[in-house]
């Protein structure tokens, strides 16, 4: 069923179809909840164990894409029009670089690309980029629906 306890920072509540295998898409809640309710949606769409084509499409269509050091995440970032957050330089030492890894050279080529640390270092730039992107659901939309 859902990847309970396997993703730090996310909580997965019981759902009716949790006994069904395999699970490719599920919703989680940020845990602990965000300190700024209304500004951040607490629900997260998690795609796991999916085929590469579906995973790529799902990631490329995300309102906010948080990548890792994988080539799949890099390709999704290239296709994404949403806000894209890449790992910080300090995390690069932990991941072995390959010949195709061009993040150092091209991280600034798109206005919607930021390092994770930019969320705190350059909040105005990140917020402006996010506001200019087409979003499917906003925190205000969720509040209105509740």
């Amino acid at each position: 069923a859902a990847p309970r306890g396997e993703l730090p920072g996310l909580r997965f509540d019981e759902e009716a179809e949790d006994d069904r295998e395999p699970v490719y898409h599920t919703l989680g809640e940020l845990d602990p909840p965000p300190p700024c309710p209304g500004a951040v949606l607490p629900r997260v769409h998690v795609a796991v164990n999916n085929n590469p084509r579906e995973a790529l499409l799902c990631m490329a269509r995300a309102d906010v894409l948080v990548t890792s050091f994988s080539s799949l995440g890099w390709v999704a970032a290239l296709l994404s029009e949403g806000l894209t957050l890449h790992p910080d330089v300090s995390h690069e030492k932990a991941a072995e670089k390959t010949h195709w890894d061009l993040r150092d050279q091209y991280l600034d080529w798109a206005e919607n690309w930021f390092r994770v640390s930019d969320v705190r270092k350059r909040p105005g730039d990140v917020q402006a980029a996010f506001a200019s992107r087409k979003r499917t659901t906003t925190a205000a939309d969720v509040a209105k629906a509740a």
Side-chain angles (χ1 to χ4, degrees):
R4 294 186 192 338
E6 295 179 22
L7 296 172
L10 293 178
R11 181 186 76 245
F12 297 96
D13 294 330
E14 296 289 329
E15 294 185 15
E17 297 182 2
D18 276 355
D19 59 340
R20 200 177 70 176
E21 292 284 339
V23 171
Y24 298 116
H25 296 267
T26 190
L27 291 175
E29 295 277 336
L30 294 176
D31 189 26
C36 45
V40 176
L41 292 173
R43 295 195 59 103
V44 177
H45 176 188
V46 179
V48 293
N49 301 322
N50 210 351
N51 72 58
R53 178 186 174 276
E54 291 296 320
L56 180 64
L57 289 173
C58 186
M59 292 188 318
R61 293 176 181 152
D63 293 328
V64 178
L65 174 64
V66 180
T67 67
S68 66
F69 290 105
S70 74
S71 57
L72 190 64
W74 181 249
V75 171
L78 290 172
L79 299 173
S80 177
E81 293 183 6
L83 187 65
T84 302
L85 300 171
H86 294 288
D88 292 315
V89 175
S90 61
H91 298 117
E92 289 182 11
K93 294 175 183 79
E96 188 174 319
K97 288 214 171 196
T98 61
H99 65 282
W100 55 262
D101 193 341
L102 304 174
R103 276 182 284 267
D104 291 343
Q105 299 162 4
Y106 296 104
L107 187 60
D108 62 351
W109 81 279
E111 294 175 355
N112 60 322
W113 284 22
F114 294 91
R115 293 222 182 253
V116 171
S117 61
D118 289 337
V119 172
R120 290 189 192 267
K121 291 179 182 175
R122 300 171 42 208
D125 294 337
V126 174
Q127 289 171 352
F130 185 68
S132 70
R133 303 289 157 204
K134 183 178 180 183
R135 297 188 307 250
T136 55
T137 306
T138 66
D141 294 335
V142 173
K144 285 179 193 174

